[in-house]
Amino acid sequence: MAEHTRSSIVIDATPAEVMAVIADFAAYPEWTGEVKEIHVLEDGPDGRAAQVKLLLDAGAIRDEHVLAYTWDGDREVSWTLVQSQMLRALDGSYALAPRGADATEVTYQLAVDVKIPMLGMIKRKAEKVIIDRALAGLKKRVEG
């Protein structure tokens, strides 16, 4: 990921508990505001999703895209764009690091490239909003 935006949050749960929520794609519409529909297209050898189709509706931006996922146990998951109508690239990751017995620092990194021209500053701000919302939603879901 060349130019990317990154942010972190500490969640009161173990890395395995946090990763279980991240890997539960069927529940995404319940805790992520933008994901309206999700379909796992292919599972990987570890039983976790390898390819996922998402329908996003973020008001002015409505898009359907397919992401390919790579899992590293309960330490990290990364994804890359396979197909989209509006995006040229969507590369991201969640990296999980234990912080004490029952806490995990989650670092979300994201790089987005849209097919329409957009200033880098505006793109980074959009990435930051996506990341902050996702981390807050993940924390609420895991701790709730």
Side-chain angles (χ1 to χ4, degrees):
M1 283 181 259
E3 293 183 50
H4 61 268
T5 302
R6 178 191 333 226
S7 190
S8 298
I9 195 168
V10 175
I11 297 177
D12 293 330
T14 66
E17 292 168 329
V18 175
M19 194 61 86
V21 170
I22 293 170
D24 184 10
F25 288 102
Y28 274 41
E30 297 171 18
W31 64 272
T32 63
E34 292 82 19
V35 177
K36 301 304 177 193
E37 287 181 34
I38 196 154
H39 304 282
V40 175
L41 302 177
E42 181 184 324
D43 286 326
D46 61 357
R48 289 180 169 161
Q51 205 167 84
V52 178
K53 183 178 187 177
L54 301 98
L55 173 62
L56 299 177
D57 189 348
I61 298 174
R62 183 177 167 89
D63 191 22
E64 185 175 277
H65 53 261
V66 176
L67 301 175
Y69 286 83
T70 304
W71 303 86
D72 181 10
D74 292 329
R75 292 172 295 283
E76 184 174 13
V77 58
S78 59
W79 57 90
T80 187
L81 184 68
V82 174
Q83 178 184 347
S84 173
Q85 297 168 344
M86 297 182 69
L87 303 177
R88 191 174 293 129
L90 176 64
D91 299 322
S93 66
Y94 281 112
L96 281 57
R99 295 290 178 254
D102 289 319
T104 302
E105 181 177 21
V106 180
T107 301
Y108 185 170
Q109 184 169 290
L110 186 66
V112 178
D113 191 13
V114 292
K115 290 181 179 177
I116 58 170
M118 183 182 285
L119 291 174
M121 180 179 69
I122 294 170
K123 196 175 354 175
R124 295 296 160 272
K125 186 171 181 167
E127 289 171 354
K128 179 80 171 127
V129 168
I130 291 167
I131 288 172
D132 289 347
R133 264 197 211 145
L135 287 174
L138 179 62
K139 181 176 176 70
K140 184 176 179 183
R141 179 74 176 192
V142 172
E143 292 179 355

